[in-house]
Amino acid sequence: MDPIKQFESEVQQNIAGLGKDADLQALSRIWIREVSRHKWAYNFSWLGRPAIQFPNDAWAMQEIIWKNKPDLIIETGIAHGGSIIFSASMLALLDMCDAIGTNQSFNPVQSRRKVIGIDIDIRAHNRKAIEQHPMASRIEMVQGSSIAPEVIQQVKEMARGYEKVLVCLDSNHTHDHVLAELEGYASLVSVGSYCVVFDTIVEDMPKELFLDRPWGPGDNPKTAVWEYLKSHPEFEIDKSIQDKLQITVAPDGFLKRIS
Ligand SMILES: C[S@@+](CC[C@H](N)C(=O)[O-])C[C@H]1O[C@@H](n2cnc3c(N)ncnc32)[C@H](O)[C@@H]1O
């Protein structure tokens, strides 16, 4: 067997094994529960900007971006900007690889590829740091509620003409809000690409972790995903991603557009 194919096949077997290992999955949930008490997700940054993410999930995003080579990434929830800077840096790498592949010069600033970030409250210090970041030329920010009809309309207009679209939802984590975001933005995802819904893990955590939040078990991004999928067969949960990661805030949140 071709050694590359053999390695890939071994990896697929590893992932299938992880998907069947209920004990390890339970242990992973316990680990996430305990580390969340320390606000672990706040400890990381990407190219200098805090990203409120688990590092494993960023790695999965890199794999999704490399496979799909999006020209547009739409993200709800900007916060300090780490996740939109991450996406913009991935788009810059895609541009660079395209230039190498076609033997053309690489313009680090000009790109058709874009990230649209949406947040209801872009704090002045965060906006300034994002606008001054070397990745800023690939980023457009929209301030407003991600489920406001005028914001959805504005983003749809900005998305016109783009062909390979990836969507990431990471703003308000209540069921109703995420369901409205899915209804608003998931249709923009191109076939083969993903709508990634973060913090679906809330469903698997004890309610005392969210006493100061409007979301919790029974009312969170995972319940919204389940509801959305009842009437949207064009998406399916890509379980292989959560199986490979184990440590992820997005179990059942990697939605692949299949038609
Ligand atoms: C978890 S943080 C986003 C983290 C960011 N994606 C990252 O990885 O660093 C959630 C963000 O959602 C924003 N947010 C809350 N409600 C929102 C809404 N209705 N529309 C848009 N953004 C909202 C908050 O202002 C906050 O910045």
Side-chain angles (χ1 to χ4, degrees), residues 50-53 75-83 118-121 144-147 170-173 177 181 199:
I52 308 171
Q53 300 256 334
E75 294 195 25
T76 67
I78 295 174
H80 303 264
S83 60
I118 306 148
D119 202 295
I120 198 166
D121 178 18
S145 174
S146 54
I147 60 168
D170 189 21
S171 66
N172 177 321
H173 300 312
H177 186 86
E181 285 188 328
D199 273 357

Short mmCIF file of all heavy atoms in Angstrom, two decimals, residues 50-53 75-83 118-121 144-147 170-173 177 181 199, ligand 1:
data_model
loop_
_atom_site.label_atom_id
_atom_site.label_comp_id
_atom_site.label_asym_id
_atom_site.label_seq_id
_atom_site.Cartn_x
_atom_site.Cartn_y
_atom_site.Cartn_z
N PRO A 50 -5.87 38.06 22.12
CA PRO A 50 -6.53 37.00 22.88
C PRO A 50 -7.66 36.34 22.05
O PRO A 50 -8.47 37.04 21.45
CB PRO A 50 -7.11 37.72 24.10
CG PRO A 50 -6.29 38.97 24.24
CD PRO A 50 -5.92 39.36 22.82
N ALA A 51 -7.64 35.02 22.02
CA ALA A 51 -8.68 34.24 21.35
C ALA A 51 -9.34 33.38 22.42
O ALA A 51 -8.64 32.62 23.10
CB ALA A 51 -8.08 33.36 20.27
N ILE A 52 -10.64 33.50 22.57
CA ILE A 52 -11.33 32.74 23.62
C ILE A 52 -11.72 31.39 23.03
O ILE A 52 -12.86 31.18 22.59
CB ILE A 52 -12.53 33.54 24.17
CG1 ILE A 52 -12.06 34.93 24.59
CG2 ILE A 52 -13.15 32.80 25.36
CD1 ILE A 52 -13.18 35.89 24.95
N GLN A 53 -10.74 30.51 22.97
CA GLN A 53 -10.88 29.24 22.24
C GLN A 53 -10.08 28.17 22.95
O GLN A 53 -9.13 28.49 23.65
CB GLN A 53 -10.26 29.38 20.85
CG GLN A 53 -10.83 30.42 19.96
CD GLN A 53 -11.71 29.82 18.89
OE1 GLN A 53 -11.51 28.67 18.53
NE2 GLN A 53 -12.66 30.56 18.42
N GLU A 75 -17.76 35.37 10.83
CA GLU A 75 -17.71 34.97 12.24
C GLU A 75 -18.61 35.88 13.07
O GLU A 75 -18.50 37.11 12.97
CB GLU A 75 -16.29 35.12 12.80
CG GLU A 75 -15.31 34.18 12.19
CD GLU A 75 -14.03 34.09 13.02
OE1 GLU A 75 -14.05 34.35 14.24
OE2 GLU A 75 -13.00 33.76 12.41
N THR A 76 -19.46 35.29 13.90
CA THR A 76 -20.17 36.10 14.89
C THR A 76 -19.41 35.97 16.21
O THR A 76 -18.93 34.89 16.55
CB THR A 76 -21.63 35.64 15.07
OG1 THR A 76 -21.67 34.34 15.65
CG2 THR A 76 -22.37 35.63 13.74
N GLY A 77 -19.27 37.09 16.92
CA GLY A 77 -18.52 37.11 18.19
C GLY A 77 -17.06 37.42 17.96
O GLY A 77 -16.25 36.54 17.63
N ILE A 78 -16.70 38.71 18.11
CA ILE A 78 -15.31 39.13 17.86
C ILE A 78 -14.51 39.15 19.17
O ILE A 78 -13.35 38.73 19.20
CB ILE A 78 -15.28 40.54 17.22
CG1 ILE A 78 -15.91 40.52 15.82
CG2 ILE A 78 -13.84 41.07 17.15
CD1 ILE A 78 -16.03 41.90 15.17
N ALA A 79 -15.11 39.68 20.24
CA ALA A 79 -14.42 39.88 21.53
C ALA A 79 -13.11 40.63 21.35
O ALA A 79 -13.09 41.73 20.82
CB ALA A 79 -14.25 38.54 22.25
N HIS A 80 -11.97 40.01 21.70
CA HIS A 80 -10.66 40.70 21.60
C HIS A 80 -10.07 40.59 20.19
O HIS A 80 -9.02 41.16 19.91
CB HIS A 80 -9.66 40.09 22.58
CG HIS A 80 -10.13 40.12 24.00
ND1 HIS A 80 -9.78 41.12 24.88
CD2 HIS A 80 -10.96 39.29 24.67
CE1 HIS A 80 -10.37 40.89 26.05
NE2 HIS A 80 -11.08 39.78 25.94
N GLY A 81 -10.71 39.78 19.34
CA GLY A 81 -10.26 39.72 17.95
C GLY A 81 -9.41 38.51 17.59
O GLY A 81 -9.07 38.32 16.43
N GLY A 82 -9.06 37.68 18.58
CA GLY A 82 -8.15 36.57 18.30
C GLY A 82 -8.65 35.62 17.23
O GLY A 82 -7.86 35.17 16.37
N SER A 83 -9.96 35.33 17.23
CA SER A 83 -10.43 34.35 16.24
C SER A 83 -10.48 34.95 14.84
O SER A 83 -10.19 34.27 13.86
CB SER A 83 -11.77 33.73 16.65
OG SER A 83 -12.76 34.72 16.75
N ILE A 118 -18.66 39.96 13.20
CA ILE A 118 -19.86 40.68 13.67
C ILE A 118 -19.89 40.62 15.19
O ILE A 118 -19.72 39.54 15.78
CB ILE A 118 -21.14 39.99 13.13
CG1 ILE A 118 -21.07 39.85 11.61
CG2 ILE A 118 -22.40 40.74 13.56
CD1 ILE A 118 -21.76 38.62 11.08
N ASP A 119 -20.09 41.77 15.82
CA ASP A 119 -20.22 41.77 17.29
C ASP A 119 -21.12 42.92 17.70
O ASP A 119 -21.07 44.01 17.12
CB ASP A 119 -18.84 41.92 17.96
CG ASP A 119 -18.85 41.41 19.39
OD1 ASP A 119 -19.55 42.02 20.25
OD2 ASP A 119 -18.15 40.40 19.68
N ILE A 120 -21.92 42.66 18.72
CA ILE A 120 -22.86 43.68 19.20
C ILE A 120 -22.12 44.81 19.92
O ILE A 120 -22.63 45.93 20.01
CB ILE A 120 -23.92 43.01 20.14
CG1 ILE A 120 -25.13 43.90 20.31
CG2 ILE A 120 -23.31 42.61 21.47
CD1 ILE A 120 -26.32 43.18 20.92
N ASP A 121 -20.91 44.51 20.39
CA ASP A 121 -20.18 45.49 21.20
C ASP A 121 -18.68 45.36 20.92
O ASP A 121 -17.99 44.59 21.57
CB ASP A 121 -20.49 45.22 22.69
CG ASP A 121 -19.76 46.16 23.62
OD1 ASP A 121 -19.29 47.22 23.15
OD2 ASP A 121 -19.65 45.85 24.83
N GLY A 144 -23.23 45.27 15.63
CA GLY A 144 -24.69 45.13 15.73
C GLY A 144 -25.00 43.72 16.17
O GLY A 144 -24.11 42.86 16.21
N SER A 145 -26.27 43.49 16.52
CA SER A 145 -26.62 42.12 16.92
C SER A 145 -26.59 41.23 15.68
O SER A 145 -27.16 41.58 14.63
CB SER A 145 -28.01 42.08 17.54
OG SER A 145 -28.35 40.72 17.77
N SER A 146 -25.98 40.08 15.83
CA SER A 146 -25.84 39.16 14.69
C SER A 146 -27.18 38.66 14.19
O SER A 146 -27.26 38.12 13.09
CB SER A 146 -24.95 37.98 15.07
OG SER A 146 -25.46 37.37 16.24
N ILE A 147 -28.25 38.82 15.00
CA ILE A 147 -29.55 38.32 14.51
C ILE A 147 -30.48 39.47 14.09
O ILE A 147 -31.62 39.22 13.72
CB ILE A 147 -30.26 37.40 15.55
CG1 ILE A 147 -30.51 38.14 16.87
CG2 ILE A 147 -29.44 36.15 15.79
CD1 ILE A 147 -31.45 37.36 17.80
N ASP A 170 -20.15 32.25 17.29
CA ASP A 170 -19.55 32.26 18.65
C ASP A 170 -19.91 33.57 19.35
O ASP A 170 -19.04 34.30 19.79
CB ASP A 170 -18.02 32.10 18.53
CG ASP A 170 -17.36 31.88 19.88
OD1 ASP A 170 -18.04 31.46 20.83
OD2 ASP A 170 -16.14 32.14 19.98
N SER A 171 -21.23 33.86 19.43
CA SER A 171 -21.62 35.12 20.09
C SER A 171 -22.45 34.80 21.33
O SER A 171 -21.92 34.22 22.28
CB SER A 171 -22.34 36.04 19.09
OG SER A 171 -23.58 35.52 18.68
N ASN A 172 -23.72 35.17 21.32
CA ASN A 172 -24.61 34.83 22.43
C ASN A 172 -24.96 33.34 22.30
O ASN A 172 -25.33 32.88 21.21
CB ASN A 172 -25.87 35.73 22.29
CG ASN A 172 -26.92 35.45 23.33
OD1 ASN A 172 -27.16 34.31 23.70
ND2 ASN A 172 -27.57 36.50 23.78
N HIS A 173 -24.85 32.59 23.40
CA HIS A 173 -24.97 31.13 23.29
C HIS A 173 -26.35 30.57 23.70
O HIS A 173 -26.45 29.39 24.02
CB HIS A 173 -23.88 30.45 24.13
CG HIS A 173 -22.49 30.80 23.72
ND1 HIS A 173 -22.06 30.76 22.41
CD2 HIS A 173 -21.41 31.21 24.43
CE1 HIS A 173 -20.78 31.12 22.34
NE2 HIS A 173 -20.37 31.42 23.56
N HIS A 177 -30.98 32.42 20.18
CA HIS A 177 -30.04 33.27 19.44
C HIS A 177 -29.28 32.45 18.39
O HIS A 177 -29.18 32.85 17.23
CB HIS A 177 -29.05 33.94 20.40
CG HIS A 177 -28.17 34.94 19.71
ND1 HIS A 177 -28.54 36.25 19.51
CD2 HIS A 177 -26.97 34.79 19.11
CE1 HIS A 177 -27.58 36.87 18.84
NE2 HIS A 177 -26.62 36.00 18.58
N GLU A 181 -29.20 32.68 14.38
CA GLU A 181 -27.95 32.83 13.59
C GLU A 181 -27.87 31.76 12.51
O GLU A 181 -27.47 32.04 11.37
CB GLU A 181 -26.73 32.72 14.51
CG GLU A 181 -26.49 33.95 15.37
CD GLU A 181 -25.15 33.88 16.11
OE1 GLU A 181 -24.71 32.77 16.48
OE2 GLU A 181 -24.56 34.93 16.34
N ASP A 199 -19.25 26.30 21.47
CA ASP A 199 -19.86 26.20 22.81
C ASP A 199 -21.10 25.31 22.88
O ASP A 199 -21.91 25.44 23.80
CB ASP A 199 -20.09 27.58 23.42
CG ASP A 199 -18.84 28.05 24.17
OD1 ASP A 199 -17.87 27.27 24.24
OD2 ASP A 199 -18.82 29.17 24.69
C1 LIG B 1 -17.18 34.18 23.30
S1 LIG B 1 -16.96 35.80 22.77
C2 LIG B 1 -16.30 35.59 21.15
C3 LIG B 1 -14.93 35.02 21.18
C4 LIG B 1 -14.20 35.05 19.87
N1 LIG B 1 -14.90 34.36 18.82
C5 LIG B 1 -12.85 34.41 20.08
O1 LIG B 1 -12.70 33.23 19.73
O2 LIG B 1 -11.97 35.07 20.60
C6 LIG B 1 -18.59 36.32 22.50
C7 LIG B 1 -18.78 37.69 21.83
O3 LIG B 1 -20.13 37.74 21.35
C8 LIG B 1 -20.58 39.04 21.43
N2 LIG B 1 -22.05 39.04 21.41
C9 LIG B 1 -22.92 38.82 22.43
N3 LIG B 1 -24.17 38.94 22.00
C10 LIG B 1 -24.11 39.22 20.68
C11 LIG B 1 -25.08 39.47 19.67
N4 LIG B 1 -26.38 39.47 19.94
N5 LIG B 1 -24.65 39.71 18.42
C12 LIG B 1 -23.33 39.74 18.12
N6 LIG B 1 -22.37 39.54 19.04
C13 LIG B 1 -22.75 39.29 20.30
C14 LIG B 1 -19.97 39.59 22.71
O4 LIG B 1 -19.91 41.01 22.67
C15 LIG B 1 -18.61 38.91 22.74
O5 LIG B 1 -17.62 39.76 22.19
#
